[in-house]
Amino acid sequence: MTNTDDKEAIERVYKTLVKSLLKKDFAKARALYVEQGAYVKSDGELTQNDGELHSELERFSVIIANMALLSRSIHVVDDIALVVVVWHWADDQSETPELQRAIDMLRKSPEGEWQFVIDNPMGL
């Protein structure tokens, strides 16, 4: 698989995550994470607890519709990807909305599927 193919596959992971969260299909969203995948909660703490991950995905599903994507930068080395997402709140009507950045790490499985290792949706 070429670097371009990997980047396209990672874009599909993000699209699947968004669709799953908007449809409240948390099982499908959870499948996009490695077994011990980590999620950075809104308080900045990292969790690998499956129950907490489910709760955070539920919480995130409520706010994701108000996030406007500006760009996604994907950097792939072998089976690891660093993804930087720049976004702003869609309801921010100011001329220069405050930019937000999320940083995520994904890993490609031996079967060729990309999954989140660390998801930090609310970013820096």
Side-chain angles (χ1 to χ4, degrees):
M1 186 175 276
T2 68
N3 200 299
T4 301
D5 292 339
D6 283 329
K7 288 180 179 183
E8 290 173 1
I10 291 167
E11 287 286 355
R12 286 192 300 275
V13 169
Y14 277 89
K15 289 177 183 172
T16 301
L17 179 64
V18 170
K19 286 179 185 176
S20 299
L21 292 176
L22 291 173
K23 291 180 179 180
K24 310 286 190 218
D25 186 346
F26 302 115
K28 189 170 187 176
R30 176 62 180 96
L32 298 171
Y33 292 78
V34 297
E35 185 176 335
Q36 290 297 311
Y39 189 96
V40 180
K41 301 184 299 184
S42 59
D43 63 5
E45 293 296 316
L46 188 72
T47 185
Q48 289 181 282
N49 176 287
D50 217 36
E52 284 185 1
L53 175 57
H54 183 89
S55 294
E56 289 298 314
L57 290 173
E58 279 188 46
R59 185 191 64 73
F60 192 60
S61 72
V62 174
I63 64 172
I64 196 167
N66 190 31
M67 297 170 76
L69 174 67
L70 297 176
S71 67
R72 188 173 2 255
S73 176
I74 301 171
H75 309 280
V76 177
V77 176
D78 298 324
D79 66 343
I80 299 292
L82 171 68
V83 182
V84 179
V85 181
V86 179
W87 58 275
H88 67 84
W89 294 111
D91 62 2
D92 183 345
Q93 299 301 315
S94 65
E95 274 189 41
T96 56
E98 183 179 347
L99 299 182
Q100 309 291 324
R101 284 179 178 76
I103 297 178
D104 302 319
M105 292 195 68
L106 289 86
R107 180 174 62 210
K108 185 166 44 172
S109 71
E111 297 77 33
E113 298 296 320
W114 285 96
Q115 294 177 294
F116 287 94
V117 175
I118 301 172
D119 185 2
N120 184 8
M122 300 312 288
L124 308 172

